[in-house]
Structure formats: C-alpha cells, structure tokens
Amino acid sequence: MLDDLREEVFQANLALVDSGLVLLTWGNASGIDRRSGLVVIKPSGVDYAVLRPKHLVVVDLDGKVVEGSLRPSSDTPTHIALYKAWADIGGVIHTHSTYGTSFAQAGVPIPCYGTTQADFCPGPIPCIRALTKEEVETDYEGNTGLSIIQHYAQHSLKPLEYPGAVLMHHGPFAWGKNAMAAATNGMVLENVAKMAVLTREIRPSVQDIPAYITEKHYQRKHGANAYYGQK
Amino acid sequence: MLDDLREEVFQANLALVDSGLVLLTWGNASGIDRRSGLVVIKPSGVDYAVLRPKHLVVVDLDGKVVEGSLRPSSDTPTHIALYKAWADIGGVIHTHSTYGTSFAQAGVPIPCYGTTQADFCPGPIPCIRALTKEEVETDYEGNTGLSIIQHYAQHSLKPLEYPGAVLMHHGPFAWGKNAMAAATNGMVLENVAKMAVLTREIRPSVQDIPAYITEKHYQRKHGANAYYGQK
Amino acid sequence: MLDDLREEVFQANLALVDSGLVLLTWGNASGIDRRSGLVVIKPSGVDYAVLRPKHLVVVDLDGKVVEGSLRPSSDTPTHIALYKAWADIGGVIHTHSTYGTSFAQAGVPIPCYGTTQADFCPGPIPCIRALTKEEVETDYEGNTGLSIIQHYAQHSLKPLEYPGAVLMHHGPFAWGKNAMAAATNGMVLENVAKMAVLTREIRPSVQDIPAYITEKHYQRKHGANAYYGQK
Amino acid sequence: MLDDLREEVFQANLALVDSGLVLLTWGNASGIDRRSGLVVIKPSGVDYAVLRPKHLVVVDLDGKVVEGSLRPSSDTPTHIALYKAWADIGGVIHTHSTYGTSFAQAGVPIPCYGTTQADFCPGPIPCIRALTKEEVETDYEGNTGLSIIQHYAQHSLKPLEYPGAVLMHHGPFAWGKNAMAAATNGMVLENVAKMAVLTREIRPSVQDIPAYITEKHYQRKHGANAYYGQK
C-alpha cells in the first residue's frame, strides 16, 4: 500500500539522521497521500539502523492504523493535526536537532539575520507558546499540533511560507509539499539557528535583515517570477 | 567465559567511540552478569582500534581478575562500587565527552530545559561533589563510586530514573539495565549538555521546563502506561 | 567546450561541499578562461549529489549562456562583475558557510588575530556594506559584485592579497588565481572566522596581531622571497 | 635512510589530518633519530592527499637537507631548536588546530579545569610570549623555538611533563617521546582547550582543579607507581 510514498517517507527519515538532525530515535518524518487521506509515518522508537520501508506505519486521519504491525510514532497526533488544518502540506518532520531545540528551550523565535534564512521564509522562525497543564494532560500530542495551528492563524502566517517552527520547551517541527521537502526544511531551520547564535555572539546588538533584502531573496526563490533554480 | 556479555560490552565500548564520546582511550564500558556476580570491563589504556572482545577483562566484585591477561580499567573500582550498591543496573560507562565534562569541570548540574532531557530523566542531571584530599589519597576510584552513591541516597534519586551524572572536576558516568543502555545514556547526557549550554547562551535567564511537561514526557516513555516505542 | 576548466570548476564545487562549506545548494564556484572570456559556472539550485561536469553552464561576460541547457547560478552577475573588474583572478566562489556568514550577518570584518589569517591576507577580512534598496531592486546580483569592487577600490585593497570578503546580511565570496584556489580561500575564510569567534570568547579585549608578525607571515608565503611551500 | 622513522613520521602527519587538527597544509610533524642526529620532517606546503613517506625530508641538526628533493617544512628551525635543547624528546608537531590556536591568539594559557588535562600535564598548558620585532626579522622560526625553550627554563617546566604549549598570535606546538606521541599530545591539547572554553562559558568564575586531584591523576598515569594502562 502506498509504496512510492512509503519509500519517500523512508528516505526522508534517513535524511534526518544522515544530516545529523536526529540522534538515536529523536525524530520522525511522515507523508500524506491526499487522495486517500492516508499518512505514512515512522514507527515509534525504532532504531534507524534497522528501519526499512516495510516498517513504516499507515494511519488514517483519525489516527487509526490501516497497515503495519508496529505502533506509529507517539507524535502521530501532531502530524495529523497539521495535515487536517493545512491542505497544502504533504510532509511533516519533527526532530530534537541541537540548535533548533536550543531556541525552543529558550522560548525564543529564530531571528532573521540574513539571506540564508530569507531564502527560506520571509521573517523570523516562530516559537510556539508552551502548552498549558490542561493541554498536556488531556491530548498532549494533538494539542501540540493545535498550538502550532493556532499561532499561524493568529499571526496570519502561511504554512508553506514559514515551513517550520520551534515549540517552547520541546523542539522543531517542519513541513513542506512532501516528506523530503519537510526534511530539507528541518535542515535549513537547524543551520540558520546555528548561525543566529553565532551572529549574536559576534554582535549582541545585531538587527534583523532589512525587509527589502528579505523580500528580494524570498521572491527570487519562491515568488511568481522566481529565477533561482531550474524551470 | 561470559561470551555474550563480552560481546555486548565490546559493542558498548565501540559505541562510545563511534558516537564521538570517547577520544583516544578516555572512556570505558562494563557490564555485569548478576548470576555469577562477574563484571566484564575494558582493559586499561588499550587503543580502541586494536581492541577485540577477547581483550576484555573479567573481574569479580572484589576487583580480582578472574579471566584475562590485561589490567582492567583503572576506573574498575568505581564500576564495582556502583554494581554493589545498585542491584538494578547491568552496565556502567565513563567518558570524558566534551560537554558533559565541561559541566563537570564547572561543577554545575545539567539543568532540565526541555523534553529531550525529560525523556531521559525527570529533572536536572546531578553534579556530584568533589572528592576530599583524604578520599583521593586513600581509595580514589572506589571513593568516586561512593560519592555518587552517597549523592543518590541523600537526594533520594533512583539510579535508573537518573541514569547518569557528572563528577566535579572529572566527567560523566552513566549506567543502565545493560552495557549498551549505559552507552546510550552517555550519548543522551552529552547531547542535552550541549543544548543546555546553547540554551543559556540564547537566553541567560531561561528557566527549567515546567514540572507538568517533564512528568508527561518522562511517563510517556518510562511510566507504567508508557506509549513511546514498541510493546 | 573548455573541458579542462569544466572539470576544475566541477572539482571546486565538490570541494565546497566536501569541506562542509556548502549545505544543500547554498553555494557555487566558477572559473574563467581569459583567452575566450568565457566563464564556467554551476547551474542554479542543482543538487550536488547529481551534479556532473556536463551540467555546468558556460556564459560570456555579458551573462549570455553560450553552452548548456540549464540556468546558470542566480549569482552569475556577481561572478561576472568580479571577473570584469579584476583581470588577475581566475575563479570565484560563494558560500553560506556557517562562521563566515555569521560575520556577514553581524556586519563585522573578520579581525586578524593570528598567523593563520596572516598567511592568507595581511589584515582583517573585509565586510562589505549592505546594498541600498535601489541597488537591490534594480540589479541585485550585479550590484552585489559592484559593492565588493567599490570597497576594494576605496580601501586600496588588492583582490589577490585579500582574496575573500563577507557581504553584510549575506555571506562570504572568495576568489583566486583559479576556481580551486578560490575554493581553498573559502575554506581559509571559514576557519579563521571560527577561530576569531573563539578568540574573542576567550579574551574579549584581544587585539589584532602586531603588524610585524603579519608582514613576516604574509611575505614568507606570498612575497618575492617566499620560502613556504615548494619552488 | 631511516625507513622506520620515516614511516612513523608519515603516520604522525596523517594522524594530525585524520583527527581534524590540520586543515589544508596547516601543520607538520617530525621525528628524530638520536643516534645519527637526523630529523625526518614533512616537506613544506605539500598536500596531505598526495603525501607519501618518500616525500619526507631528512635534515641534520644544522637544518641542512641530507636526503630528499623537496624543501623541508618552513618551521624546521623551530623543530630543530627543540630537539637540540631537549634531549628526551623524539618527536615534534605543529598545528593550527581550532581551539588551541584560539587560546594562542588570545594570549591565554589553557587553564587546568579537570582530570582530562591533569592526565596530560600537572597544570595549565603554557602560553609562550610573542616574539619581538627583532626576533621575527632575524631568525623567525629559530627564535620561535628559543622562546619556547626560554619559557620552560624560566618556569622550571620539564618538556615531557608539559608536552605542549601555545605560542601567542600563532598556535600549538607539542612534542613527546616520538612523533606519534607528539601527535597524540596535540590532540589532547586541542580537546582540553575546547572543554576549557565551554567550562568558562558554563561558569565564568570557575577555579582550577585542586592540586591534590591533579597530582593523583598525573601520578596514576605518569608517576613511578603509575597504574593506568598496561605494564
């Protein structure tokens, strides 16, 4: 079932490990087949060294396992919440990557200090508020997704324009058109986070990049008249 | 003798090197066979590139070599002290991993700033007091173990709930149900230590993660109703 | 066409990835054949894992594609501006390498704190001013090149004596006698940038290296009587 | 000539690269045959990827090339000065390793914050004064060696007890009983330097390790009754 998606989600999971974003089992990637509404996701706590495409779990948008003998990632309800709220995303990843997680732990958005980040999103990478005690105790993973969705709605952010965020006390989530794009966005988030820490160390009073440069970079890569990359 | 344990302890020692926790010969892993009360441990100062399972040394709980022609790790009395005090552990590791050792040198516990650490232990990673001159001069390595045990007793910490600590002026020790679990715990300790340094750099006034989130994460992974990982 | 140059530029592009300076597609290298006035450059946004010499694009000094079916790097006008202004350079590279980019984002030149940098250039590595709104909106990439050229002219810097600079809000550009020398200069810039950050962390009041040591090191490697390296 | 020494010095040079201490051609290792008084050293500026044992240069203690068609390292006079002053050393290395060089650039000794360093030397790793203008302009590399020797004499430091130092504005030199021991000492220096930076970041007011712990660690590894390692 969903063999192509299964292979792509498998590769996205491996990419998180190969790029150093995921240590041990601290991460997961999923992808959705919008026609059937089925999600392929990493099984919970399985060692990446033995993970094979056949181990991935297929769940529906109610979180019910449709195929697979292993438990899906414990973060599955977060992935599902995002897929249900945002029709234009096709993949989601979650990691505890070092620099992204450090911003999450500090409860600080990743400031937009340069064109590397402006190529990715047109402003700071959001830091989502901490969950309340009630949210944690009722449906922790589902409410994690809802807190992200709420933040994007309240600040009128488009998910594909800001394809990643850090969750206070927790770590990064990222998403994209598909699972591999989500993994790539996770790498971008981690690397701009590292450069942001260093930039502030070099000049504590540094200001965000001027809006006209951000706009130029974002548009040349993602705008209607984008000229970065191939046609 | 104890071939399976020997192989596992060998793999745990290699894992410390492969994960970058051990440079040169700065580390060791051991495992215990509780039935016989015998401990398999790395020989002292042997280059990891030439280390083979047959080189590992078998010692009893009095520290006497039962099998092997090489000297056991100079830290053997520390391992033994922990095995004797804590019946539920099956493996111990010691490293001079960069971030863990830096916390040890600073004499500072590793604060619990996020869910990465809460998945591992439900609070800060302890920093054990420095040994006194008398303790150093009488039975240095044995007293190192006793100082850890004393700290856990005084603070009512369960060894498997807080499966690692840093020793002031020295470096990390970690333990677990077996040697490989101890090695994994050493990796977790190192990585949360790195994120703690970065978190404080991003926000010097950062507070520890709220207890209700720590509790949730610790319980979903280690509690009676844990749902992280496979059954 | 230009097979040798094509191969060299290909190797220079790979060197940027292999040395960790380029993540994803964040970088490019080019080389010029001065006889024909043709430039070989990386295609825009192509994954390095699939990049082959045949994919490189040949452009003339007006930016017109002379050979190749792919779009050249979006930074091509910057490369061309440098080739046109500076007759003695044969290669140009651009990266978003972590430490160099952090200095760029901070808007701070890389101070010359030691002989590692003095072996490379006889002073601080320049930080080029931010482009104005008008410059960004008219010919962004061409004006990027002009801002570098302007800085070098105003400060009487010779391009091959200071073979790299960081552009405010953006990142490093470097150049050299050929594409591979430019790539090497990019590596030097990144590494001295990292050491500069650490040096200031160790001693915030640190001063630049005395001029007489800088002069000695620069001259023993690059002067008329250089004795570093082979004849 | 001196084939065994040649092979060992070759391996020591490679070890500097493999351990990440040497980027590009920023480093060199040598070894001495005390019977003949001949030194085997890396040729100057030769790429490590093509370096073979046959490329190493044999020089006498006057710096005259005895065998080899390539120029010896430009730092050869520093190596020779150390060999002439200190009869008990058999190998010397020089690197621009990141953390060691940063201490050198800051002009700060590497404080002894823990047992990792105490296992290596019984105190801070010395920072050698900057050379004067006259010293630089007359015999730069020879005077570099003399400044190290002078520091050790003035402070009554034994070369094999403190087998490495950082030179202000420049970088680390290390030495040992043979070339490979010198390379290993270079690795130790780099790693304790990194931990010292982090330790001060975690606790700016940190104090050096108490002398009684330093003494214990140094003696258990290097003293008359050492019990670390194999007999």
Side-chain angles (χ1 to χ4, degrees):
Chain A
M1 194 187 269
L2 302 172
D3 280 349
D4 287 355
L5 182 59
R6 192 182 281 275
E7 176 67 23
E8 192 208 328
V9 172
F10 174 67
Q11 294 298 339
N13 274 288
L14 288 198
L16 297 179
V17 176
D18 291 346
S19 59
L21 267 66
V22 166
L23 177 78
L24 301 170
T25 59
W26 302 349
N28 42 70
S30 74
I32 189 168
D33 175 62
R34 286 285 175 188
R35 256 198 331 184
S36 61
L38 296 178
V39 173
V40 176
I41 193 163
K42 185 180 174 291
S44 182
V46 171
D47 187 344
Y48 279 92
V50 302
L51 186 69
R52 295 290 172 274
K54 65 176 176 186
H55 299 133
L56 298 179
V57 185
V58 182
V59 298
D60 65 21
L61 286 172
D62 297 323
K64 202 172 67 103
V65 173
V66 174
E67 191 178 66
S69 55
L70 297 171
R71 278 182 183 170
S73 166
S74 56
D75 296 314
T76 300
T78 314
H79 292 238
I80 288 178
L82 298 180
Y83 286 128
K84 285 166 90 166
W86 297 339
D88 49 356
I89 68 168
V92 173
I93 65 104
H94 170 50
T95 77
H96 290 234
S97 64
T98 303
Y99 288 86
T101 301
S102 296
F103 271 95
Q105 294 188 156
V108 171
I110 304 173
C112 190
Y113 288 144
T115 63
T116 319
Q117 187 162 333
D119 279 335
F120 171 70
C121 65
I125 294 173
C127 178
I128 311 297
R129 69 169 173 80
L131 265 60
T132 65
K133 193 166 190 301
E134 289 66 34
E135 288 171 326
V136 167
E137 289 173 357
T138 53
D139 176 17
Y140 176 53
E141 293 83 5
N143 288 329
T144 296
L146 296 181
S147 71
I148 303 174
I149 294 159
Q150 183 191 55
H151 182 102
Y152 274 63
Q154 285 176 348
H155 296 81
S156 303
L157 301 178
K158 294 181 189 169
L160 287 181
E161 280 192 10
Y162 288 83
V166 296
L167 281 74
M168 190 162 176
H169 305 307
H170 194 155
F173 275 82
W175 45 84
K177 288 185 180 171
N178 52 49
M180 192 53 84
T184 300
N185 288 336
M187 293 176 214
V188 175
L189 186 153
E190 177 66 3
N191 273 274
V192 296
K194 180 171 186 180
M195 295 198 290
V197 171
L198 290 166
T199 300
R200 299 215 297 196
E201 188 170 339
I202 297 169
R203 176 178 272 183
S205 65
V206 64
Q207 300 293 311
D208 277 24
I209 184 173
Y212 64 87
I213 303 181
T214 299
E215 185 66 9
K216 173 67 184 177
H217 265 263
Y218 191 75
Q219 293 302 330
R220 83 171 187 166
K221 195 155 184 179
H222 303 282
N225 300 309
Y227 55 91
Y228 180 95
Q230 303 301 321
K231 281 170 239 188
Chain B
M1 194 185 269
L2 303 171
D3 279 350
D4 286 355
L5 182 59
R6 193 181 279 275
E7 177 65 24
E8 192 208 327
V9 172
F10 174 67
Q11 294 298 338
N13 274 288
L14 288 199
L16 296 179
V17 176
D18 291 346
S19 59
L21 268 66
V22 165
L23 176 79
L24 301 169
T25 59
W26 302 349
N28 43 70
S30 73
I32 189 168
D33 175 62
R34 286 286 175 189
R35 257 203 324 187
S36 61
L38 295 178
V39 173
V40 175
I41 193 163
K42 185 179 174 290
S44 182
V46 170
D47 187 345
Y48 279 93
V50 300
L51 186 70
R52 295 290 173 274
K54 66 176 175 185
H55 298 133
L56 298 179
V57 185
V58 182
V59 297
D60 64 22
L61 286 172
D62 296 323
K64 203 172 67 104
V65 174
V66 173
E67 190 178 66
S69 55
L70 297 171
R71 279 182 183 168
S73 165
S74 55
D75 295 313
T76 300
T78 313
H79 291 239
I80 288 178
L82 298 179
Y83 286 127
K84 285 166 90 166
W86 297 338
D88 50 355
I89 68 169
V92 173
I93 65 104
H94 169 51
T95 77
H96 289 235
S97 63
T98 303
Y99 288 87
T101 301
S102 297
F103 271 95
Q105 294 188 155
V108 171
I110 304 172
C112 190
Y113 288 143
T115 64
T116 320
Q117 187 162 332
D119 279 335
F120 171 70
C121 65
I125 295 172
C127 179
I128 311 298
R129 68 167 174 81
L131 265 60
T132 64
K133 194 166 191 299
E134 288 65 35
E135 287 170 326
V136 167
E137 289 174 357
T138 51
D139 175 17
Y140 176 53
E141 292 83 5
N143 287 329
T144 295
L146 295 182
S147 71
I148 302 174
I149 295 160
Q150 183 191 55
H151 182 103
Y152 274 63
Q154 285 176 347
H155 295 79
S156 302
L157 301 178
K158 294 181 187 167
L160 287 181
E161 280 192 12
Y162 289 83
V166 297
L167 281 73
M168 190 163 177
H169 305 307
H170 194 155
F173 275 82
W175 45 85
K177 287 186 181 171
N178 52 49
M180 193 53 85
T184 300
N185 289 336
M187 292 176 216
V188 176
L189 186 153
E190 177 66 3
N191 274 273
V192 296
K194 180 171 186 180
M195 295 199 289
V197 170
L198 289 165
T199 301
R200 299 214 299 196
E201 188 170 339
I202 296 168
R203 175 177 273 185
S205 65
V206 64
Q207 299 293 312
D208 277 23
I209 184 173
Y212 65 87
I213 304 182
T214 299
E215 184 65 11
K216 174 67 182 176
H217 265 264
Y218 190 75
Q219 292 302 330
R220 83 171 188 167
K221 197 157 183 177
H222 304 282
N225 299 309
Y227 55 90
Y228 181 94
Q230 302 302 320
K231 281 170 240 189
Chain C
M1 193 187 271
L2 303 171
D3 281 350
D4 287 355
L5 182 59
R6 192 181 280 276
E7 176 66 24
E8 191 208 328
V9 172
F10 174 67
Q11 294 298 340
N13 273 288
L14 288 200
L16 296 178
V17 176
D18 291 346
S19 59
L21 268 65
V22 166
L23 176 78
L24 301 170
T25 60
W26 301 350
N28 42 71
S30 73
I32 190 168
D33 175 62
R34 286 285 175 188
R35 258 203 325 189
S36 61
L38 294 179
V39 172
V40 175
I41 193 163
K42 184 179 175 290
S44 182
V46 171
D47 187 346
Y48 279 92
V50 301
L51 186 69
R52 295 290 172 272
K54 65 177 176 185
H55 299 133
L56 298 179
V57 185
V58 182
V59 298
D60 65 21
L61 286 173
D62 296 324
K64 203 171 65 103
V65 173
V66 174
E67 190 178 66
S69 55
L70 296 170
R71 279 183 184 169
S73 165
S74 56
D75 296 313
T76 300
T78 314
H79 291 237
I80 288 178
L82 298 179
Y83 287 128
K84 285 166 89 166
W86 297 338
D88 49 356
I89 68 168
V92 173
I93 65 104
H94 170 50
T95 78
H96 290 235
S97 63
T98 303
Y99 288 86
T101 301
S102 297
F103 271 95
Q105 293 189 155
V108 170
I110 304 172
C112 191
Y113 289 144
T115 63
T116 320
Q117 187 161 331
D119 279 336
F120 171 69
C121 65
I125 294 173
C127 179
I128 311 297
R129 69 169 173 81
L131 264 60
T132 65
K133 194 166 192 298
E134 289 67 33
E135 288 171 326
V136 166
E137 289 174 357
T138 52
D139 175 17
Y140 176 53
E141 293 83 4
N143 286 330
T144 296
L146 295 182
S147 72
I148 303 173
I149 295 160
Q150 184 190 55
H151 182 102
Y152 274 62
Q154 285 176 348
H155 296 81
S156 302
L157 301 178
K158 294 180 187 169
L160 287 181
E161 280 192 10
Y162 289 83
V166 296
L167 280 74
M168 190 163 175
H169 305 307
H170 194 154
F173 275 83
W175 44 84
K177 287 185 182 172
N178 52 50
M180 193 52 85
T184 300
N185 288 336
M187 293 176 215
V188 176
L189 186 153
E190 178 66 3
N191 274 274
V192 296
K194 180 171 186 181
M195 295 198 290
V197 170
L198 290 165
T199 300
R200 299 214 299 196
E201 189 170 338
I202 297 169
R203 175 178 272 184
S205 65
V206 62
Q207 301 293 310
D208 278 23
I209 183 174
Y212 64 87
I213 303 182
T214 300
E215 185 66 9
K216 173 67 183 178
H217 265 263
Y218 191 75
Q219 293 302 330
R220 83 171 187 168
K221 196 155 183 178
H222 304 283
N225 300 310
Y227 55 90
Y228 181 93
Q230 303 301 321
K231 281 170 238 187
Chain D
M1 194 186 268
L2 303 171
D3 280 349
D4 286 356
L5 182 59
R6 192 181 281 276
E7 178 65 23
E8 192 209 326
V9 172
F10 175 67
Q11 294 298 339
N13 274 287
L14 288 199
L16 296 179
V17 176
D18 291 346
S19 60
L21 268 65
V22 165
L23 176 77
L24 301 169
T25 59
W26 301 350
N28 43 70
S30 73
I32 189 168
D33 175 62
R34 285 286 175 188
R35 259 208 318 193
S36 62
L38 295 179
V39 173
V40 174
I41 193 163
K42 184 179 174 291
S44 182
V46 171
D47 187 345
Y48 280 93
V50 301
L51 186 70
R52 294 290 172 273
K54 65 177 176 185
H55 298 133
L56 298 179
V57 184
V58 182
V59 298
D60 65 21
L61 285 173
D62 295 324
K64 204 172 65 105
V65 173
V66 173
E67 190 178 66
S69 55
L70 296 171
R71 278 183 184 169
S73 165
S74 56
D75 295 314
T76 300
T78 313
H79 291 239
I80 287 178
L82 298 180
Y83 287 128
K84 284 166 90 166
W86 297 338
D88 49 356
I89 68 169
V92 173
I93 65 103
H94 170 51
T95 77
H96 289 235
S97 64
T98 303
Y99 288 86
T101 301
S102 297
F103 271 95
Q105 293 188 155
V108 171
I110 304 172
C112 190
Y113 288 143
T115 63
T116 320
Q117 187 161 332
D119 278 336
F120 171 70
C121 64
I125 295 172
C127 179
I128 311 297
R129 69 168 173 81
L131 265 59
T132 64
K133 194 166 192 300
E134 288 67 34
E135 287 171 326
V136 166
E137 289 174 357
T138 51
D139 175 17
Y140 176 53
E141 292 83 6
N143 287 330
T144 296
L146 295 182
S147 71
I148 302 173
I149 295 160
Q150 183 190 56
H151 183 102
Y152 274 62
Q154 285 176 349
H155 295 81
S156 302
L157 301 179
K158 294 181 188 170
L160 287 182
E161 280 192 11
Y162 288 83
V166 296
L167 281 73
M168 189 164 178
H169 305 307
H170 194 154
F173 274 82
W175 45 85
K177 287 186 182 171
N178 52 49
M180 192 53 86
T184 299
N185 288 335
M187 292 175 215
V188 176
L189 185 153
E190 178 66 3
N191 274 274
V192 296
K194 180 171 185 179
M195 295 198 290
V197 170
L198 290 165
T199 300
R200 300 214 299 196
E201 188 169 338
I202 296 168
R203 175 176 273 183
S205 66
V206 62
Q207 300 292 311
D208 277 24
I209 184 174
Y212 65 88
I213 304 182
T214 300
E215 184 66 9
K216 173 68 183 177
H217 266 264
Y218 191 75
Q219 292 303 330
R220 83 170 187 167
K221 197 156 183 178
H222 304 283
N225 299 309
Y227 55 91
Y228 181 94
Q230 303 302 321
K231 281 170 237 187

